[in-house]
Each structure stands twice: as structure tokens, then as C-alpha cells.
Amino acid sequence: MEEETKKKPIEEAKSGFGSLSEDILEKILRRLPAPSLASAACVSKLWYQNCNRILSRPKLASAISLNPSLEIAVQEVLDKVLSEPIRPHFAIANGFGYSFCMQKAFDLLSGKMGSRTPLIVTWASGAMGRDARTNEFREVIGGYCCSDCDDERLDANSGILLTVGSVPGLKVEAIPLLRRTKQAPRVSMADDLVVDIRNYTILASGCTSPVAIIMFGGGDIDLKPIIEKLDYAMLKETVIAGDEKTEFLYRSGMESKNVCESTKYFSDAVALVFARDREKAHGIGDIQFHAALSNGVSAIGPRYKAASVRVNGRDCTTWLTAKREGEHEIFDGQRILNDINDELENRIGGADLYIGVSKHRKYSIEREKPRSMSSLAFHGVMGVDEEYLFVYGSGIRTADYFQFYHSDPNIALSSCNNVSIHLRDLKVDWNSKRGLHPLSVANECKKECIGGFVFACRGRGESFFGRPNVDSSPILENFPGVPLAGIYCGGEIGRGISILNAHGRQEESTTRLVHVFSTVYLVLSYTPASMEH
């Protein structure tokens, strides 16, 4: 009797919901937060089919919290990104500010995300996103610590940005760049990273190159040679973006790739790989990645040819002497910098200096035949003495040509406007295709923006431009309301991007892979599968 009494409410509940039409049921399910929808999918086959249909469309969800309590901040962003139906295929959390504890954030998030969901937690210099409580868009530079700061100052501008993505039709995995802990000198296993990405992509899609890679590098390695190898190994259609110098923790969906606790390997970088899913279900549309760049530096002075090159492996710096292009006299560091300072004398405000080195190198993976490639690599200027010019990083060779570049807010602002125009043209193109096919079937298949990422130099922001929200404006202006997640980086990775000059024309230059004082934009679009097929 007691068992029958328990069954009765269940049967009544089933009969009550069973009387609903499928359209009404789907509308109800669409209003559920992600955890509740996951539970609802277990009720019946009909409910599972409705939930699966809801989750078949891609979705990007992002939120930022500035709560000084990390536990509360993590809960706020989790509640926000999971407040609507979503099936997480990846999660990226970016913390900023002195009080942010990366390990604690990683532990809190690991327990909330499925064990097979790739998770990356990084430290950033700042973040951009919508506030989890107010939905107001914020660009925040993280606070810095000093010995005289009180507790209130330590918590200022500390917080976390969480981005969760559902990308049906793609497979996503976190693949680390490893280094053997006992290896000397320190050499990352670059070939192994390329092979791992290729193997994963082949299994997922049958192709050797993924659609896109979002990459995060450790702060104590020079990631430029690794990106150059990826540029060699991947098809030109593969978009690569990310942060060259940061701190990170990660969890891969494949247990064999999780080496955080390993005594044999150390992770120098991690690549979040997006590959086509050759087994995607019928009716799933197509996701594309579109990249753009706001350049923030101007060339200055003559071109130089490296005369002597010394590498200091202890602090990963390079010492140079050089000749002016077409001349024979060798200049020491002080004389080189004096020439550049004379050029900068009439410019208002201080400027960060870099050299852009034109590299012509041969690359290969394992036993493949080497192929020559060209790139422009930026190195920050440290200083000079009476003999050498000191720059950050390595990989410069004798006879390489280089030119000085300086940060320029006017160029950056003009370039931001050009990116906005480029995205507007992209949007117009998507809408024009809808206009060519005004029938309802064609409208259902219209390409739309589902979200975006921004990777901006940590030297930019309000202090650089003199007003807020400039770096995020190209996406906010053209795609208002779409989820947008951005961070301020230690080096902006951007591959598969046309460099536009101040006049909006493409520059005739070698490939740039890691940028300085720039902003890389990554926009995701979705085209639903044609109902006719």
C-alpha cells in the first residue's frame, strides 16, 4: 500500500507533463539552468530528445566577478554561466589581481565541471567581461601588490573570469607542451606537441590540422619558437590565438595528458585544440573561427643587420651589436639607442621599445623534409651599455635584419576602428546571404555570431587610450549582447590574421605570430545545417 502511494504522485506528474505539447515542453526546458536540464534529460526518452535538441546549438557563456572572496567569486561566475542550458565542452578561467589563488580556483572549478571537460585556469593581468551580478560590461586591470599595501588594497581589482563553451560538431581537448624535468639545458618537446595535436585531430576529423588552437604559455619560457613550429606544421586555415606568457593549470579530458602531479615532466604550455568531429550528428551546423588584429606599434628608424649575437641562457636574453642596412660600420648598443631616442624626441609621452626581427628559418617535424619560412618576431628592449643592445628572448642570429618599433596609442586606436569596420563588413556579408535567400529555410540557416574572445596587451586598456572599453569595442559595437571574454596578456598570440595598417590596408610583411601592444580578436560564428538536407 505504501509503495502504491509513492508511485501515484509520480504517475500523476508524468501524466501532467505528458499532456503538454512538445513545443510547450521544449519552451519549459529551455528556461532551465544547465544542472536542472541535465537531470530533466533522465526523465524519459521524449525529454532526452528535447534536451538534446536544445543542446545541439553551440553556446558560449562567460561572466566576471570582482568579489574579494574567491569562493564566492567562483560560485557567482558558475551560477551565471550555468544559468541557461549548456553542455560544457571546455572551460577557461582567468584570474587576476594579487589575491587570486590559481590552485584554489582550479580545485573549486574541477569539482563543478565534468571530469572529461578540458579545464584551463590561468593568471592574467586583467580581464574583460560582463559582471555576473549586474551584467555590466567591465574592463579591469588587476591590482598589484606592494609591501605597504593594506588588505583592502590587496583585494582591489582582484577577480575571476569564467568562460564555458558548448561546440557541437567540434571535438575539444587540452594538450600540453611538455619538458622532461631532468633535461638540461631546458628544451621543450616541441615536435611532440605538434605530433600530439596532429594525432588527436586525425582521430577526431581525419585531417592533420585543427580548426583553431587557443594557447597559454608559461612565463619562464620563450614560446616564439614553438609557435613558429606550429605555424610550419598547420594548414594556413588553422587560427591560433592566446597568451604567450602567463601561469596556468590544466586538466585534459584524456587522463594520459594530465601531468600536473608528474615528477617526470613539466608543462611549459597548454593548447586547447578545436578539431572537426567527423562523427557529428545529423542536423548539426558548422562553427567557424574568424580572427582580426588591432596593431599597436609603429616602426621607427632605419633597418639594422645583427653583427654579433650573444645569448644569455640564464635569463633568456640576447646581446647585440649591429650595422645599419647597407653600411659597414658596427654600432654598439648605446649608439644604436641614441639614434632611436633622437627619432622619438619629438613624440609626446613615453613609449615601450621593441625590435622586430625578420627571421628566415628552416623548420621540420621529426624526419620530415625541412621547409623555409619567414616571420617577424618582436623582442622587448631591456637596455644598453657601451658594447651591447640587450633584448628579451632568444632565437636571433647573426645577419638577421631588425627594425625598432614603439608603442603608439594613435595607431592602436585607428587600428581598432579598422577591426570594427572589418567585423561590420563580415556581419553585412552574413546578412546579405540571408537576403539572397529570403525563404524561411534559408533564414533558418543564416550565419550568426555566437561569441568572441579578446587577447589584449597588458600595456593597453584605459591608461593607454585615455578612455575605457576601447579594446572590446569592435565586438561590442558589431555584436551587442553576444558573450565576450577577454584578458590582458604578457604576449598576444595571433596566427591566421591579416595585419591592417592605419589606413585599413593590408601590410606587405612577413608573418607575425606573437604580437606586442596589440589586441587579437577571435569571433565564433555558427551556420545551422540546412533543413533541406
Side-chain angles (χ1 to χ4, degrees), residues 54 159 168 494:
I54 291 169

Side-chain angles (χ1 to χ4, degrees), residues 156 219 328 347 371 394 439 449:
H328 299 288
R347 299 175 187 266
R371 187 171 82 245
S394 58
L439 298 178
C449 175

Side-chain angles (χ1 to χ4, degrees), residues 48-108:
Y48 173 80
Q49 290 171 343
N50 274 275
C51 293
N52 212 39
R53 183 161 57 247
I54 291 169
L55 296 172
S56 66
R57 290 183 69 87
K59 186 178 182 66
L60 202 66
S62 181
I64 191 172
S65 173
L66 302 181
N67 196 297
S69 166
L70 182 58
E71 291 90 343
I72 296 175
V74 168
Q75 194 59 53
E76 285 182 351
V77 293
L78 274 169
D79 289 345
K80 183 63 176 180
V81 300
L82 300 179
S83 63
E84 295 180 355
I86 190 169
R87 179 183 288 153
H89 292 141
F90 69 90
I92 302 173
N94 311 105
F96 51 92
Y98 175 75
S99 64
F100 175 74
C101 176
M102 188 162 54
Q103 184 64 62
K104 189 174 183 180
F106 182 82
D107 294 340
L108 289 168

Side-chain angles (χ1 to χ4, degrees), residues 128 139 241-242 291-297 411-413 415-416 419 423 453-461 464-465 469-475 484-489 491-495 497-500 514-522:
M128 314 169 201
E139 281 190 4
L293 179 126
S294 166
N295 181 36
V297 291
I411 289 292
L413 186 59
S415 185
C416 254
V419 170
L423 294 181
F453 293 92
V454 177
F455 301 91
C457 174
R458 62 189 175 194
R460 290 173 59 127
F464 184 63
F465 290 107
N469 297 348
V470 173
D471 287 309
S472 53
S473 61
I475 294 180
L484 174 60
I487 58 172
Y488 288 100
C489 307
E492 315 85 65
I493 301 170
R495 190 247 194 187
I497 298 172
S498 294
I499 312 297
L500 302 179
V514 179
H515 308 269
V516 292
F517 262 89
S518 301
T519 298
V520 174
Y521 299 88
L522 201 57

Side-chain angles (χ1 to χ4, degrees), residues 12 64 72 75 177 185 237 240 352 371 427 522:
E12 288 176 352
I64 191 172
I72 296 175
Q75 194 59 53
L177 166 66
E237 291 81 10
I240 305 177
D352 290 69
R371 187 171 82 245
K427 184 179 176 181
L522 201 57

Side-chain angles (χ1 to χ4, degrees), residues 492-512:
E492 315 85 65
I493 301 170
R495 190 247 194 187
I497 298 172
S498 294
I499 312 297
L500 302 179
N501 61 25
H503 306 291
R505 294 190 293 270
Q506 184 172 337
E507 292 185 5
E508 297 297 328
S509 66
T510 51
T511 303
R512 301 183 189 183

